[in-house]
Amino acid sequence: MGNILAFCEFDGGALRASALSNLSFARQAASAHGGEVIALLIGVGAAAAGPAAAAYAAKVVTVEHGDLGHYLAETYAPIVARLAGEHGAAIVCATATSVGKDLLPRVAALLDAGMASDISKLEGGNRFTRPILAGNAYSTVEVSTPVVCVTVRQSEFAPAEPTGSTGSVSSADAGAIDAKGARIDRVDSQKSDRPELTSAKVVVAGGRGMGNGENFKQLEALADLLGAAMGASRAATDAGMVPADWQVGQTGKIVAPNLYFAVAISGAIQHLAGMKGSKTIVAINKDPEAPIFQVADYGVVTTWEKAVPELIEEIKKVKATR
Amino acid sequence: MKILVPIKRVPDPELKVKLKDGAIDLAGASWVVNTFDEYAVETALRLRENAESGESHGEVVVVTIGPDDAGQQLRSALAMGADRAIRIDGEDKALDSRVVAAVLAKVIEAEKPDLVVMGKQAVDGDANQVGQMLAGKLGWPQATFAATVELAADKASLTVGREVDAGVEYKTIALPGVLTVDLRVVAPTSVKNNITPASHSYGTGEGGPRYASLKGIMAAKKKPMEQKSIGDYGVDVTPATRELGVTLPAARAAGQKVADIPTLVKKLVDEAKAL
């Protein structure tokens, strides 16, 4: 018997889509452990987002403090660890976002907990399956510490639906806040009206073969027609054609949309690791031997210059008939 | 300044994964330095040197926990330019992140480095835990997944560009601290130390870790390598994580090549129902 403390990221009064995958895992874990789900929201705006979170969890705990305005592992981890103790957590979990991956191992160290990262499945109790070797194998592990830390692969857990009842919301003290000499100077972000890459239903991704950033604009037109997120291979982001946060792959983002377009992407192992969970994969490449064709459901051997305008035209035709 | 770089050996990630008795078959594996750890060695060397004069402004110590053979990976790091090495005898199977972080914390107590630089994850287990755990244990600040690093002129802090989901976050940490590095840290101008002229470019194109020169390989043979055992550090080394089994993912069903874009779109609508 133990509770599941689910660290949830939020934005503008609502939970992020990534947090809903974590809550989906947390519910499964709560039934395995015979405890309840406690959603934990930390930071400026936590109190305002608490009621939205209460639709998804039996209990919501918010920690609001002016000095927690920007996420820092140094300040957040002691709060999570302390609340894990106070709320009898058997599992502390977060989605494997850039925040979750940074935070949870630090929490684990403070709790002397064992940890399973980026899990794809709960097998029961403290047994988890997770991808290893860039997704070329899956390992099932059992973690035997009294408290266990877990990060959850967003693409493997469908977003939680509302529970149908409203959970209780309470606030907790931040305690002493010590950043240990760490601070955030600034965040350079690319604002976009497109959906988030990790939760988009359709992703349009380009590779080094696109040649330059200007050419990517044509792919962006395709993405906007489909309501898709933009992605890219490491080769394209490394060459500076597009922002680094578009990178799909083992070291970029892991995506599993319904439909994934890989345009002028050869299909290096490290890219495949980030997208091979997609439901339908379309590859467009002028090289018939490109490895991307081995994972693609549909492949067209042609240049992007020819394919992309045709795709836009054909998809417009389909849309016009609906 | 003194920089400690923990490294791990991994089976060559370019080779195909084979299973034997429900575990990864490592018989006859070819071992290499974990890619990200090699980048960590490169980062540490760039942080302590004047790349144009060749002058050294600090010490780089590499450490690994592994069997006798793992000494080869330490020698590779020494050949790149690290100054000395520590091998702590241990079997990969008897380790998990928690144990490794506990042992490294003791190494750091003894060595007292100003900075720990390590790969953000090992490309075999892909756990991405040890750097953060170590920082948590030591009560040090952490800067993970670094794409760029700048050491302040007074060597008291680092400013790190981190590729996060929202974009690039610039985080400054006071030293001592833990830095974990991502791929782009080895790009030609990713690391600045206020010693090497800011205009300096490491290599061309995408950059990369430096190759060991013949001179470096010869020199590495004479550099000190200390041998320790886990028992020397007096920590509980019972792993809390046990592997129950390994499976290979189901292969994707063979796809089809279609003749042209109109056919593709028709199939996406009618067959895959994806549009």
Side-chain angles (χ1 to χ4, degrees), chain A residues 74 102 106 117 138-140 142 144 185 188 238 247 276 297-299, chain B residues 127 129 140 142 144 168 170 172 184 240 242-244 247 252 258 271:
Chain A
E74 293 80 359
D102 185 57
R106 191 169 178 112
S117 294
Y138 282 82
S139 168
T140 300
E142 182 164 46
S144 57
D185 300 316
D188 295 347
D238 274 357
Q247 187 187 324
K276 65 187 177 188
D297 299 283
Y298 301 102
Chain B
Q129 295 175 356
W140 285 8
Q142 67 189 49
T144 55
V168 182
Y170 291 87
T172 296
R184 271 179 275 269
R242 190 163 65 97
E243 186 164 78
L244 304 176
T247 55
R252 280 188 81 94
V258 297
E271 204 173 270

PDB file of all heavy atoms in Angstrom, chain A residues 74 102 106 117 138-140 142 144 185 188 238 247 276 297-299, chain B residues 127 129 140 142 144 168 170 172 184 240 242-244 247 252 258 271:
ATOM      1  N   GLU A  74      17.504  22.236  -8.364  1.00  0.00           N
ATOM      2  CA  GLU A  74      18.059  22.479  -7.026  1.00  0.00           C
ATOM      3  C   GLU A  74      16.971  22.877  -6.030  1.00  0.00           C
ATOM      4  O   GLU A  74      17.042  22.499  -4.855  1.00  0.00           O
ATOM      5  CB  GLU A  74      19.124  23.584  -7.103  1.00  0.00           C
ATOM      6  CG  GLU A  74      20.381  23.196  -7.874  1.00  0.00           C
ATOM      7  CD  GLU A  74      20.231  23.282  -9.396  1.00  0.00           C
ATOM      8  OE1 GLU A  74      19.131  23.633  -9.873  1.00  0.00           O
ATOM      9  OE2 GLU A  74      21.206  22.985 -10.110  1.00  0.00           O
ATOM     10  N   ASP A 102      15.504  15.882 -15.756  1.00  0.00           N
ATOM     11  CA  ASP A 102      16.472  16.626 -14.956  1.00  0.00           C
ATOM     12  C   ASP A 102      16.176  16.469 -13.459  1.00  0.00           C
ATOM     13  O   ASP A 102      17.077  16.370 -12.641  1.00  0.00           O
ATOM     14  CB  ASP A 102      16.395  18.107 -15.368  1.00  0.00           C
ATOM     15  CG  ASP A 102      17.429  18.977 -14.687  1.00  0.00           C
ATOM     16  OD1 ASP A 102      18.632  18.683 -14.818  1.00  0.00           O
ATOM     17  OD2 ASP A 102      17.039  19.977 -14.038  1.00  0.00           O
ATOM     18  N   ARG A 106      17.479  13.503  -9.280  1.00  0.00           N
ATOM     19  CA  ARG A 106      17.915  14.285  -8.107  1.00  0.00           C
ATOM     20  C   ARG A 106      17.001  13.997  -6.921  1.00  0.00           C
ATOM     21  O   ARG A 106      17.470  13.859  -5.785  1.00  0.00           O
ATOM     22  CB  ARG A 106      17.940  15.781  -8.450  1.00  0.00           C
ATOM     23  CG  ARG A 106      18.623  16.611  -7.382  1.00  0.00           C
ATOM     24  CD  ARG A 106      18.884  18.048  -7.823  1.00  0.00           C
ATOM     25  NE  ARG A 106      19.496  18.810  -6.756  1.00  0.00           N
ATOM     26  CZ  ARG A 106      20.753  19.274  -6.762  1.00  0.00           C
ATOM     27  NH1 ARG A 106      21.527  19.082  -7.809  1.00  0.00           N
ATOM     28  NH2 ARG A 106      21.227  19.926  -5.724  1.00  0.00           N
ATOM     29  N   SER A 117      13.887   4.873 -15.630  1.00  0.00           N
ATOM     30  CA  SER A 117      13.720   6.051 -16.492  1.00  0.00           C
ATOM     31  C   SER A 117      12.934   5.719 -17.733  1.00  0.00           C
ATOM     32  O   SER A 117      13.105   4.650 -18.313  1.00  0.00           O
ATOM     33  CB  SER A 117      15.092   6.538 -16.975  1.00  0.00           C
ATOM     34  OG  SER A 117      15.858   7.012 -15.919  1.00  0.00           O
ATOM     35  N   TYR A 138      14.053  -3.860 -25.286  1.00  0.00           N
ATOM     36  CA  TYR A 138      13.265  -3.440 -24.134  1.00  0.00           C
ATOM     37  C   TYR A 138      13.691  -4.259 -22.930  1.00  0.00           C
ATOM     38  O   TYR A 138      13.814  -5.478 -23.022  1.00  0.00           O
ATOM     39  CB  TYR A 138      11.765  -3.630 -24.409  1.00  0.00           C
ATOM     40  CG  TYR A 138      11.212  -2.530 -25.289  1.00  0.00           C
ATOM     41  CD1 TYR A 138      11.357  -2.576 -26.662  1.00  0.00           C
ATOM     42  CD2 TYR A 138      10.589  -1.424 -24.722  1.00  0.00           C
ATOM     43  CE1 TYR A 138      10.893  -1.549 -27.469  1.00  0.00           C
ATOM     44  CE2 TYR A 138      10.114  -0.388 -25.516  1.00  0.00           C
ATOM     45  CZ  TYR A 138      10.266  -0.452 -26.886  1.00  0.00           C
ATOM     46  OH  TYR A 138       9.811   0.567 -27.663  1.00  0.00           O
ATOM     47  N   SER A 139      13.940  -3.575 -21.835  1.00  0.00           N
ATOM     48  CA  SER A 139      14.399  -4.245 -20.629  1.00  0.00           C
ATOM     49  C   SER A 139      13.306  -4.145 -19.571  1.00  0.00           C
ATOM     50  O   SER A 139      12.723  -3.078 -19.376  1.00  0.00           O
ATOM     51  CB  SER A 139      15.672  -3.553 -20.138  1.00  0.00           C
ATOM     52  OG  SER A 139      15.992  -3.988 -18.843  1.00  0.00           O
ATOM     53  N   THR A 140      13.027  -5.267 -18.903  1.00  0.00           N
ATOM     54  CA  THR A 140      12.084  -5.233 -17.785  1.00  0.00           C
ATOM     55  C   THR A 140      12.894  -5.279 -16.494  1.00  0.00           C
ATOM     56  O   THR A 140      13.742  -6.153 -16.333  1.00  0.00           O
ATOM     57  CB  THR A 140      11.098  -6.406 -17.862  1.00  0.00           C
ATOM     58  OG1 THR A 140      10.397  -6.304 -19.091  1.00  0.00           O
ATOM     59  CG2 THR A 140      10.092  -6.364 -16.718  1.00  0.00           C
ATOM     60  N   GLU A 142      13.067  -4.644 -12.078  1.00  0.00           N
ATOM     61  CA  GLU A 142      12.358  -4.536 -10.812  1.00  0.00           C
ATOM     62  C   GLU A 142      13.199  -3.666  -9.888  1.00  0.00           C
ATOM     63  O   GLU A 142      14.406  -3.869  -9.764  1.00  0.00           O
ATOM     64  CB  GLU A 142      12.163  -5.916 -10.194  1.00  0.00           C
ATOM     65  CG  GLU A 142      11.381  -5.863  -8.895  1.00  0.00           C
ATOM     66  CD  GLU A 142      10.860  -7.243  -8.515  1.00  0.00           C
ATOM     67  OE1 GLU A 142      11.648  -8.206  -8.602  1.00  0.00           O
ATOM     68  OE2 GLU A 142       9.690  -7.348  -8.146  1.00  0.00           O
ATOM     69  N   SER A 144      13.797  -2.259  -6.041  1.00  0.00           N
ATOM     70  CA  SER A 144      13.437  -2.809  -4.733  1.00  0.00           C
ATOM     71  C   SER A 144      13.548  -1.824  -3.569  1.00  0.00           C
ATOM     72  O   SER A 144      13.425  -2.221  -2.421  1.00  0.00           O
ATOM     73  CB  SER A 144      14.310  -4.037  -4.451  1.00  0.00           C
ATOM     74  OG  SER A 144      15.669  -3.659  -4.524  1.00  0.00           O
ATOM     75  N   ASP A 185      19.381  32.320 -16.460  1.00  0.00           N
ATOM     76  CA  ASP A 185      19.630  33.650 -17.004  1.00  0.00           C
ATOM     77  C   ASP A 185      18.552  34.042 -18.009  1.00  0.00           C
ATOM     78  O   ASP A 185      18.066  35.156 -18.008  1.00  0.00           O
ATOM     79  CB  ASP A 185      21.006  33.700 -17.667  1.00  0.00           C
ATOM     80  CG  ASP A 185      22.113  33.378 -16.667  1.00  0.00           C
ATOM     81  OD1 ASP A 185      22.039  33.914 -15.537  1.00  0.00           O
ATOM     82  OD2 ASP A 185      23.015  32.592 -16.987  1.00  0.00           O
ATOM     83  N   ASP A 188      15.654  31.096 -24.517  1.00  0.00           N
ATOM     84  CA  ASP A 188      15.361  31.503 -25.894  1.00  0.00           C
ATOM     85  C   ASP A 188      14.387  30.493 -26.467  1.00  0.00           C
ATOM     86  O   ASP A 188      14.742  29.336 -26.679  1.00  0.00           O
ATOM     87  CB  ASP A 188      16.638  31.495 -26.754  1.00  0.00           C
ATOM     88  CG  ASP A 188      17.630  32.550 -26.276  1.00  0.00           C
ATOM     89  OD1 ASP A 188      17.230  33.411 -25.470  1.00  0.00           O
ATOM     90  OD2 ASP A 188      18.798  32.493 -26.713  1.00  0.00           O
ATOM     91  N   ASP A 238      21.648  20.113 -36.539  1.00  0.00           N
ATOM     92  CA  ASP A 238      23.079  20.369 -36.367  1.00  0.00           C
ATOM     93  C   ASP A 238      23.589  21.353 -37.414  1.00  0.00           C
ATOM     94  O   ASP A 238      24.470  22.165 -37.143  1.00  0.00           O
ATOM     95  CB  ASP A 238      23.896  19.079 -36.487  1.00  0.00           C
ATOM     96  CG  ASP A 238      24.003  18.338 -35.163  1.00  0.00           C
ATOM     97  OD1 ASP A 238      23.484  18.872 -34.167  1.00  0.00           O
ATOM     98  OD2 ASP A 238      24.595  17.253 -35.123  1.00  0.00           O
ATOM     99  N   GLN A 247      14.307  18.706 -33.056  1.00  0.00           N
ATOM    100  CA  GLN A 247      14.975  17.423 -33.307  1.00  0.00           C
ATOM    101  C   GLN A 247      14.207  16.220 -32.774  1.00  0.00           C
ATOM    102  O   GLN A 247      13.867  16.151 -31.599  1.00  0.00           O
ATOM    103  CB  GLN A 247      16.378  17.423 -32.688  1.00  0.00           C
ATOM    104  CG  GLN A 247      17.170  16.177 -33.064  1.00  0.00           C
ATOM    105  CD  GLN A 247      18.483  16.096 -32.317  1.00  0.00           C
ATOM    106  OE1 GLN A 247      19.115  17.112 -32.068  1.00  0.00           O
ATOM    107  NE2 GLN A 247      18.874  14.901 -31.948  1.00  0.00           N
ATOM    108  N   LYS A 276       9.904   5.661 -34.468  1.00  0.00           N
ATOM    109  CA  LYS A 276       9.400   4.412 -35.049  1.00  0.00           C
ATOM    110  C   LYS A 276       8.146   3.890 -34.362  1.00  0.00           C
ATOM    111  O   LYS A 276       7.538   2.943 -34.839  1.00  0.00           O
ATOM    112  CB  LYS A 276      10.499   3.353 -35.151  1.00  0.00           C
ATOM    113  CG  LYS A 276      11.073   2.852 -33.876  1.00  0.00           C
ATOM    114  CD  LYS A 276      12.262   1.948 -34.205  1.00  0.00           C
ATOM    115  CE  LYS A 276      12.917   1.478 -32.936  1.00  0.00           C
ATOM    116  NZ  LYS A 276      14.167   0.760 -33.208  1.00  0.00           N
ATOM    117  N   ASP A 297       5.732   2.862 -43.768  1.00  0.00           N
ATOM    118  CA  ASP A 297       4.591   2.118 -44.296  1.00  0.00           C
ATOM    119  C   ASP A 297       4.421   2.429 -45.779  1.00  0.00           C
ATOM    120  O   ASP A 297       4.047   1.583 -46.560  1.00  0.00           O
ATOM    121  CB  ASP A 297       3.327   2.517 -43.532  1.00  0.00           C
ATOM    122  CG  ASP A 297       3.463   2.196 -42.061  1.00  0.00           C
ATOM    123  OD1 ASP A 297       3.335   1.027 -41.705  1.00  0.00           O
ATOM    124  OD2 ASP A 297       3.746   3.127 -41.268  1.00  0.00           O
ATOM    125  N   TYR A 298       4.662   3.696 -46.120  1.00  0.00           N
ATOM    126  CA  TYR A 298       4.548   4.125 -47.510  1.00  0.00           C
ATOM    127  C   TYR A 298       5.796   4.918 -47.878  1.00  0.00           C
ATOM    128  O   TYR A 298       6.166   5.851 -47.158  1.00  0.00           O
ATOM    129  CB  TYR A 298       3.305   5.008 -47.705  1.00  0.00           C
ATOM    130  CG  TYR A 298       2.021   4.303 -47.337  1.00  0.00           C
ATOM    131  CD1 TYR A 298       1.394   4.562 -46.120  1.00  0.00           C
ATOM    132  CD2 TYR A 298       1.448   3.360 -48.198  1.00  0.00           C
ATOM    133  CE1 TYR A 298       0.227   3.895 -45.769  1.00  0.00           C
ATOM    134  CE2 TYR A 298       0.275   2.698 -47.851  1.00  0.00           C
ATOM    135  CZ  TYR A 298      -0.332   2.965 -46.629  1.00  0.00           C
ATOM    136  OH  TYR A 298      -1.476   2.307 -46.282  1.00  0.00           O
ATOM    137  N   GLY A 299       6.408   4.541 -48.970  1.00  0.00           N
ATOM    138  CA  GLY A 299       7.596   5.261 -49.410  1.00  0.00           C
ATOM    139  C   GLY A 299       7.415   5.741 -50.842  1.00  0.00           C
ATOM    140  O   GLY A 299       6.816   5.047 -51.668  1.00  0.00           O
TER     141      GLY A 299
ATOM    142  N   ALA B 127      19.703   5.449 -19.240  1.00  0.00           N
ATOM    143  CA  ALA B 127      18.967   5.815 -18.025  1.00  0.00           C
ATOM    144  C   ALA B 127      18.957   7.312 -17.767  1.00  0.00           C
ATOM    145  O   ALA B 127      17.964   7.863 -17.308  1.00  0.00           O
ATOM    146  CB  ALA B 127      19.539   5.088 -16.816  1.00  0.00           C
ATOM    147  N   GLN B 129      20.607   9.202 -15.450  1.00  0.00           N
ATOM    148  CA  GLN B 129      20.356   9.393 -14.020  1.00  0.00           C
ATOM    149  C   GLN B 129      21.576   9.835 -13.215  1.00  0.00           C
ATOM    150  O   GLN B 129      21.441  10.628 -12.287  1.00  0.00           O
ATOM    151  CB  GLN B 129      19.867   8.061 -13.393  1.00  0.00           C
ATOM    152  CG  GLN B 129      18.528   7.579 -13.911  1.00  0.00           C
ATOM    153  CD  GLN B 129      18.158   6.209 -13.365  1.00  0.00           C
ATOM    154  OE1 GLN B 129      18.938   5.573 -12.646  1.00  0.00           O
ATOM    155  NE2 GLN B 129      16.982   5.738 -13.717  1.00  0.00           N
ATOM    156  N   TRP B 140      25.280  19.618  -4.694  1.00  0.00           N
ATOM    157  CA  TRP B 140      25.866  20.552  -5.655  1.00  0.00           C
ATOM    158  C   TRP B 140      24.824  20.950  -6.689  1.00  0.00           C
ATOM    159  O   TRP B 140      23.881  20.204  -6.948  1.00  0.00           O
ATOM    160  CB  TRP B 140      27.018  19.860  -6.406  1.00  0.00           C
ATOM    161  CG  TRP B 140      28.273  19.702  -5.599  1.00  0.00           C
ATOM    162  CD1 TRP B 140      28.443  19.953  -4.270  1.00  0.00           C
ATOM    163  CD2 TRP B 140      29.527  19.222  -6.096  1.00  0.00           C
ATOM    164  NE1 TRP B 140      29.741  19.654  -3.902  1.00  0.00           N
ATOM    165  CE2 TRP B 140      30.431  19.210  -5.010  1.00  0.00           C
ATOM    166  CE3 TRP B 140      29.993  18.803  -7.340  1.00  0.00           C
ATOM    167  CZ2 TRP B 140      31.757  18.807  -5.131  1.00  0.00           C
ATOM    168  CZ3 TRP B 140      31.314  18.395  -7.465  1.00  0.00           C
ATOM    169  CH2 TRP B 140      32.189  18.405  -6.376  1.00  0.00           C
ATOM    170  N   GLN B 142      23.466  21.474 -10.543  1.00  0.00           N
ATOM    171  CA  GLN B 142      23.631  20.634 -11.728  1.00  0.00           C
ATOM    172  C   GLN B 142      23.234  21.407 -12.978  1.00  0.00           C
ATOM    173  O   GLN B 142      22.303  22.215 -12.945  1.00  0.00           O
ATOM    174  CB  GLN B 142      22.770  19.366 -11.606  1.00  0.00           C
ATOM    175  CG  GLN B 142      21.256  19.612 -11.631  1.00  0.00           C
ATOM    176  CD  GLN B 142      20.444  18.365 -11.302  1.00  0.00           C
ATOM    177  OE1 GLN B 142      20.711  17.675 -10.305  1.00  0.00           O
ATOM    178  NE2 GLN B 142      19.435  18.070 -12.120  1.00  0.00           N
ATOM    179  N   THR B 144      22.428  20.032 -16.675  1.00  0.00           N
ATOM    180  CA  THR B 144      22.342  18.794 -17.452  1.00  0.00           C
ATOM    181  C   THR B 144      22.080  19.099 -18.922  1.00  0.00           C
ATOM    182  O   THR B 144      21.584  20.162 -19.271  1.00  0.00           O
ATOM    183  CB  THR B 144      21.197  17.919 -16.917  1.00  0.00           C
ATOM    184  OG1 THR B 144      19.990  18.678 -16.920  1.00  0.00           O
ATOM    185  CG2 THR B 144      21.484  17.438 -15.507  1.00  0.00           C
ATOM    186  N   VAL B 168      16.026  26.970 -25.750  1.00  0.00           N
ATOM    187  CA  VAL B 168      17.348  26.843 -25.139  1.00  0.00           C
ATOM    188  C   VAL B 168      17.363  27.660 -23.851  1.00  0.00           C
ATOM    189  O   VAL B 168      17.086  28.857 -23.858  1.00  0.00           O
ATOM    190  CB  VAL B 168      18.468  27.333 -26.077  1.00  0.00           C
ATOM    191  CG1 VAL B 168      19.832  27.138 -25.421  1.00  0.00           C
ATOM    192  CG2 VAL B 168      18.418  26.581 -27.407  1.00  0.00           C
ATOM    193  N   TYR B 170      19.443  29.099 -20.618  1.00  0.00           N
ATOM    194  CA  TYR B 170      20.791  29.419 -20.150  1.00  0.00           C
ATOM    195  C   TYR B 170      20.801  29.406 -18.635  1.00  0.00           C
ATOM    196  O   TYR B 170      20.136  30.203 -17.998  1.00  0.00           O
ATOM    197  CB  TYR B 170      21.263  30.758 -20.729  1.00  0.00           C
ATOM    198  CG  TYR B 170      21.502  30.617 -22.221  1.00  0.00           C
ATOM    199  CD1 TYR B 170      20.466  30.805 -23.132  1.00  0.00           C
ATOM    200  CD2 TYR B 170      22.739  30.197 -22.703  1.00  0.00           C
ATOM    201  CE1 TYR B 170      20.662  30.608 -24.495  1.00  0.00           C
ATOM    202  CE2 TYR B 170      22.942  29.992 -24.057  1.00  0.00           C
ATOM    203  CZ  TYR B 170      21.902  30.204 -24.951  1.00  0.00           C
ATOM    204  OH  TYR B 170      22.096  29.981 -26.283  1.00  0.00           O
ATOM    205  N   THR B 172      23.160  29.270 -15.107  1.00  0.00           N
ATOM    206  CA  THR B 172      24.480  29.478 -14.507  1.00  0.00           C
ATOM    207  C   THR B 172      24.549  28.716 -13.187  1.00  0.00           C
ATOM    208  O   THR B 172      23.613  28.787 -12.390  1.00  0.00           O
ATOM    209  CB  THR B 172      24.730  30.984 -14.270  1.00  0.00           C
ATOM    210  OG1 THR B 172      24.757  31.636 -15.545  1.00  0.00           O
ATOM    211  CG2 THR B 172      26.050  31.225 -13.564  1.00  0.00           C
ATOM    212  N   ARG B 184      25.606  18.377 -28.938  1.00  0.00           N
ATOM    213  CA  ARG B 184      26.121  19.559 -29.625  1.00  0.00           C
ATOM    214  C   ARG B 184      27.249  20.265 -28.873  1.00  0.00           C
ATOM    215  O   ARG B 184      27.814  21.237 -29.367  1.00  0.00           O
ATOM    216  CB  ARG B 184      24.977  20.520 -29.942  1.00  0.00           C
ATOM    217  CG  ARG B 184      24.347  20.203 -31.302  1.00  0.00           C
ATOM    218  CD  ARG B 184      23.196  21.112 -31.640  1.00  0.00           C
ATOM    219  NE  ARG B 184      21.972  20.627 -31.064  1.00  0.00           N
ATOM    220  CZ  ARG B 184      21.122  19.795 -31.696  1.00  0.00           C
ATOM    221  NH1 ARG B 184      21.366  19.382 -32.903  1.00  0.00           N
ATOM    222  NH2 ARG B 184      20.025  19.396 -31.106  1.00  0.00           N
ATOM    223  N   ALA B 240      19.691  -1.822  -6.365  1.00  0.00           N
ATOM    224  CA  ALA B 240      18.261  -1.844  -6.085  1.00  0.00           C
ATOM    225  C   ALA B 240      17.469  -2.166  -7.339  1.00  0.00           C
ATOM    226  O   ALA B 240      16.255  -2.308  -7.300  1.00  0.00           O
ATOM    227  CB  ALA B 240      17.824  -0.484  -5.530  1.00  0.00           C
ATOM    228  N   ARG B 242      17.011  -4.697 -10.575  1.00  0.00           N
ATOM    229  CA  ARG B 242      17.342  -6.020 -11.079  1.00  0.00           C
ATOM    230  C   ARG B 242      16.680  -6.188 -12.439  1.00  0.00           C
ATOM    231  O   ARG B 242      15.498  -5.878 -12.598  1.00  0.00           O
ATOM    232  CB  ARG B 242      16.807  -7.075 -10.114  1.00  0.00           C
ATOM    233  CG  ARG B 242      17.286  -8.491 -10.379  1.00  0.00           C
ATOM    234  CD  ARG B 242      17.041  -9.337  -9.123  1.00  0.00           C
ATOM    235  NE  ARG B 242      15.604  -9.452  -8.858  1.00  0.00           N
ATOM    236  CZ  ARG B 242      14.871 -10.508  -9.241  1.00  0.00           C
ATOM    237  NH1 ARG B 242      15.419 -11.514  -9.893  1.00  0.00           N
ATOM    238  NH2 ARG B 242      13.580 -10.560  -8.963  1.00  0.00           N
ATOM    239  N   GLU B 243      17.469  -6.649 -13.402  1.00  0.00           N
ATOM    240  CA  GLU B 243      16.884  -6.860 -14.724  1.00  0.00           C
ATOM    241  C   GLU B 243      16.207  -8.224 -14.769  1.00  0.00           C
ATOM    242  O   GLU B 243      16.819  -9.241 -14.465  1.00  0.00           O
ATOM    243  CB  GLU B 243      17.965  -6.762 -15.796  1.00  0.00           C
ATOM    244  CG  GLU B 243      17.408  -6.821 -17.203  1.00  0.00           C
ATOM    245  CD  GLU B 243      18.424  -6.324 -18.227  1.00  0.00           C
ATOM    246  OE1 GLU B 243      19.343  -7.091 -18.557  1.00  0.00           O
ATOM    247  OE2 GLU B 243      18.287  -5.159 -18.669  1.00  0.00           O
ATOM    248  N   LEU B 244      14.938  -8.234 -15.147  1.00  0.00           N
ATOM    249  CA  LEU B 244      14.196  -9.499 -15.189  1.00  0.00           C
ATOM    250  C   LEU B 244      14.246 -10.134 -16.567  1.00  0.00           C
ATOM    251  O   LEU B 244      14.081 -11.340 -16.707  1.00  0.00           O
ATOM    252  CB  LEU B 244      12.731  -9.261 -14.788  1.00  0.00           C
ATOM    253  CG  LEU B 244      12.506  -8.608 -13.420  1.00  0.00           C
ATOM    254  CD1 LEU B 244      11.031  -8.342 -13.193  1.00  0.00           C
ATOM    255  CD2 LEU B 244      13.075  -9.468 -12.304  1.00  0.00           C
ATOM    256  N   THR B 247      13.756  -8.035 -24.186  1.00  0.00           N
ATOM    257  CA  THR B 247      13.123  -8.509 -25.421  1.00  0.00           C
ATOM    258  C   THR B 247      13.476  -7.549 -26.547  1.00  0.00           C
ATOM    259  O   THR B 247      13.870  -6.407 -26.299  1.00  0.00           O
ATOM    260  CB  THR B 247      11.591  -8.552 -25.292  1.00  0.00           C
ATOM    261  OG1 THR B 247      11.134  -7.257 -24.901  1.00  0.00           O
ATOM    262  CG2 THR B 247      11.137  -9.588 -24.273  1.00  0.00           C
ATOM    263  N   ARG B 252       8.695  -3.675 -37.564  1.00  0.00           N
ATOM    264  CA  ARG B 252       7.548  -3.086 -38.273  1.00  0.00           C
ATOM    265  C   ARG B 252       7.275  -3.928 -39.504  1.00  0.00           C
ATOM    266  O   ARG B 252       8.197  -4.387 -40.177  1.00  0.00           O
ATOM    267  CB  ARG B 252       7.866  -1.658 -38.698  1.00  0.00           C
ATOM    268  CG  ARG B 252       7.716  -0.637 -37.584  1.00  0.00           C
ATOM    269  CD  ARG B 252       7.870   0.772 -38.132  1.00  0.00           C
ATOM    270  NE  ARG B 252       6.644   1.259 -38.743  1.00  0.00           N
ATOM    271  CZ  ARG B 252       5.739   1.987 -38.102  1.00  0.00           C
ATOM    272  NH1 ARG B 252       5.919   2.316 -36.859  1.00  0.00           N
ATOM    273  NH2 ARG B 252       4.660   2.394 -38.737  1.00  0.00           N
ATOM    274  N   VAL B 258       5.276   3.359 -53.175  1.00  0.00           N
ATOM    275  CA  VAL B 258       4.196   3.705 -54.097  1.00  0.00           C
ATOM    276  C   VAL B 258       4.762   4.593 -55.201  1.00  0.00           C
ATOM    277  O   VAL B 258       5.783   5.265 -55.022  1.00  0.00           O
ATOM    278  CB  VAL B 258       3.007   4.388 -53.370  1.00  0.00           C
ATOM    279  CG1 VAL B 258       2.390   3.438 -52.363  1.00  0.00           C
ATOM    280  CG2 VAL B 258       3.438   5.657 -52.685  1.00  0.00           C
ATOM    281  N   GLU B 271      -6.588   3.562 -47.273  1.00  0.00           N
ATOM    282  CA  GLU B 271      -6.013   2.359 -46.684  1.00  0.00           C
ATOM    283  C   GLU B 271      -5.593   2.616 -45.231  1.00  0.00           C
ATOM    284  O   GLU B 271      -6.033   1.948 -44.319  1.00  0.00           O
ATOM    285  CB  GLU B 271      -4.785   1.976 -47.524  1.00  0.00           C
ATOM    286  CG  GLU B 271      -4.373   0.537 -47.467  1.00  0.00           C
ATOM    287  CD  GLU B 271      -3.264   0.289 -48.479  1.00  0.00           C
ATOM    288  OE1 GLU B 271      -3.584  -0.048 -49.631  1.00  0.00           O
ATOM    289  OE2 GLU B 271      -2.087   0.475 -48.123  1.00  0.00           O
TER     290      GLU B 271
END
